[in-house]
Amino acid sequence: ETGVTQTPRHLVMGMTNKKSLKCEQHLGHNAMYWYKQSAKKPLELMFVYSLEERVENNSVPSRFSPECPNSSHLFLHLHTLQPEDSALYLCASSQDPEGFTYSPLHFGNGTRLTVT
Amino acid sequence: GENVEQHPSTLSVQEGDSAVIKCTYSDSASNYFPWYKQELGKRPQLIIDIRSNVGEKKDQRIAVTLNKTAKHFSLHITETQPEDSAVYFCAASIQYGGATNKLIFGTGTLLAVQP
């Protein structure tokens, strides 16, 4: 399969549960991202990994914990979430060599998360 | 902080008409401006982008214009078709801490093309 793949597509979890979102990219990119998409709001950047190192943590609460074991895989570990965390969580990847300032993002289909 | 404003939030046009979506950005250092299309239940997909060294770019029925002085850019869709119906997002890049760019997105425009 090509592109960016996210699993699961849908997730319902209670506030006390622990779950993980998975993202895999088959594009050979070296940067991966987590975005949150809520209704009537701009896409919010949560985390950025470049060459498997976290380069951005955009003031995200600690109940969201990212993990990037290699350049092809990205996880978002969730625990003790709140109902307002319900949203579509999008993973993306891009190719960002040193000194290159712009490269398109390739998004996955997202995980629709509902916190009850 | 940096932000991108996008207007209108909804746009309804008749098939065959043109559609224009406008965005303004706040950071004068922004140098890359992509547009993404997101159909219902699907992923955002890049449809066109423009770098700061050009003022206009066209790809078939889609064009983007950039005015760096005024810090605004626009998406133009001509001869609209029902399959153009989707949410369109503009974005502006902000480079930070190295080479990886960060995109600030607008709030999106829901385009409905009426047959």
Side-chain angles (χ1 to χ4, degrees), chain A residues 9-49:
Chain A
R9 289 297 307 273
H10 302 273
L11 178 62
V12 180
M13 59 186 290
M15 289 164 50
T16 58
N17 291 160
K18 288 185 179 180
K19 296 285 184 183
S20 296
L21 310 185
K22 180 183 176 182
C23 176
E24 185 174 359
Q25 59 97 1
H26 307 270
L27 300 168
H29 290 164
N30 60 7
M32 296 187 77
Y33 309 74
W34 280 115
Y35 278 88
K36 177 183 179 182
Q37 187 174 33
S38 306
K40 301 190 186 303
K41 285 188 173 183
L43 281 162
E44 300 173 53
L45 179 63
M46 301 175 70
F47 300 104
V48 181
Y49 278 83

Side-chain angles (χ1 to χ4, degrees), chain A residues 5 16-17 20 28 30 32-34 39 50 53 55 58-59 82 84 91-92 94 96 98 100 103 107-109 114:
Chain A
T5 305
T16 58
N17 291 160
S20 296
N30 60 7
M32 296 187 77
Y33 309 74
W34 280 115
S50 178
E53 288 189 22
V55 297
N58 210 25
S59 302
Q82 305 298 311
E84 59 265 30
C91 173
S94 68
D96 289 317
E98 187 76 24
F100 191 65
S103 60
F107 285 93
N109 280 322
T114 302

Side-chain angles (χ1 to χ4, degrees), chain A residues 63-76:
Chain A
R63 57 185 184 270
F64 295 91
S65 175
E67 179 189 359
C68 186
N70 55 62
S71 59
S72 298
H73 294 85
L74 184 65
F75 296 89
L76 188 62

